[in-house]
Amino acid sequence: MKTPLNERITNGAIIAGLVAYFAAIVTVFFKQPELTALLVLPAPVILVFRFKERKKALILAATGLVIGPATEIICIISGLWSYATPGILPYVPLWLFPGWACFPLALTLLTEAFLGHSFEFPAHGWLIPLALLGLAIEITIFAVLGNHWLYPILAILPFLPLLWFSIRLWETPILLLLGALIGPVAECIPIAAGAWTYAIREILGIPYYMLPAYGLFAVLTINLGHALNARFRKRNIPVKP
């Protein structure tokens, strides 16, 4: 289904505004993580209401809300980064949960804006364990090799063409690029303010490997969210030949 141009422009503007809002709120209030969480909470709500299929949006948001913080906890335990003020939770601040809920929502809407049609992704049931396996491999690679900027990049490079050949939709390279861009852009200002710190600081306080890491994480997480949506709602979107 084609997405009207005015809707695509509106979604792009809203997401740009929310990225700036998220970065500003975290930068100013990170020492009060519970307050920050309350202030960030409207962002995923706004994004959910930009979807015509609200149930799909909620499943995508829930996928990001669970997978994102769980990944961060593993990486923090592995010593890749740490938060200045976690707050009431161990390892991670509460505001990460609404923040990560935004991730698959925003990237899905942005991909639709670039392509000009509704987001398509293969949604066979077997893609759920495959996406989870991919996430487990990615997390393991970065947890084990993340003390050097180059090793994780070399380890995940073979997965990028595999994603394209297995999914074969233009959503894949667009998600890789958008994930690699949006994640670091949202991070750089809060990092400069001291909200969290990477063990390796190379470009704007972020290690180089986070760019492909964000891109790959975007594809796998959104793939998982769409597959779960199809599973729960008993829909099946075939892979294009």
Side-chain angles (χ1 to χ4, degrees):
M1 183 183 297
K2 289 186 177 181
T3 306
L5 180 60
N6 63 332
E7 184 178 331
R8 293 159 60 189
I9 294 172
T10 300
N11 284 339
I14 288 173
I15 291 166
L18 288 176
V19 170
Y21 174 77
F22 174 83
I25 291 298
V26 175
T27 298
V28 175
F29 297 105
F30 72 88
K31 292 181 181 178
Q32 301 169 274
E34 289 73 35
L35 173 62
T36 304
L38 287 174
L39 294 173
V40 171
L41 189 57
V45 175
I46 291 169
L47 290 174
V48 164
F49 278 93
R50 296 304 302 170
F51 281 74
K52 294 181 177 67
E53 295 182 70
R54 299 283 162 73
K55 290 182 179 179
K56 179 174 79 171
L58 290 171
I59 291 172
L60 286 171
T63 303
L65 184 147
V66 172
I67 299 295
T71 299
E72 291 222 28
I73 290 171
I74 295 170
C75 291
I76 290 168
I77 293 172
S78 300
L80 302 189
W81 64 83
S82 61
Y83 286 91
T85 315
I88 62 174
L89 298 176
Y91 304 112
V92 295
L94 193 60
W95 51 263
L96 272 182
F97 291 86
W100 273 111
C102 293
F103 188 69
L105 297 172
L107 290 180
T108 295
L109 291 173
L110 279 178
T111 303
E112 290 182 352
F114 273 94
L115 292 175
H117 60 72
S118 57
F119 194 100
E120 296 180 17
F121 227 56
H124 299 297
W126 54 265
L127 284 174
I128 296 174
L130 189 63
L132 289 171
L133 176 62
L135 286 166
I137 292 172
E138 181 185 8
I139 293 166
T140 301
I141 286 173
F142 284 93
V144 173
L145 302 177
N147 60 346
H148 191 282
W149 73 270
L150 181 60
Y151 299 153
I153 295 176
L154 294 177
I156 67 169
L157 280 178
F159 289 96
L160 304 184
L162 282 175
L163 284 173
W164 171 254
F165 287 118
S166 62
I167 299 173
R168 290 172 292 174
L169 293 173
W170 280 110
E171 281 80 350
T172 302
I174 291 174
L175 277 175
L176 283 168
L177 292 173
L178 288 176
L181 174 65
I182 297 297
V185 165
E187 286 197 11
C188 62
I189 296 176
I191 286 173
W196 66 94
T197 306
Y198 283 96
I200 299 175
R201 297 179 286 279
E202 291 167 322
I203 177 171
L204 299 175
I206 301 169
Y208 294 127
Y209 63 69
M210 285 303 295
L211 278 70
Y214 260 118
L216 184 58
F217 193 80
V219 173
L220 293 171
T221 303
I222 294 172
N223 189 0
L224 176 61
H226 279 79
L228 288 171
N229 174 62
R231 181 75 169 180
F232 292 151
R233 302 177 65 189
K234 301 188 184 302
R235 294 176 58 195
N236 192 54
I237 304 172
V239 179
K240 289 182 179 179

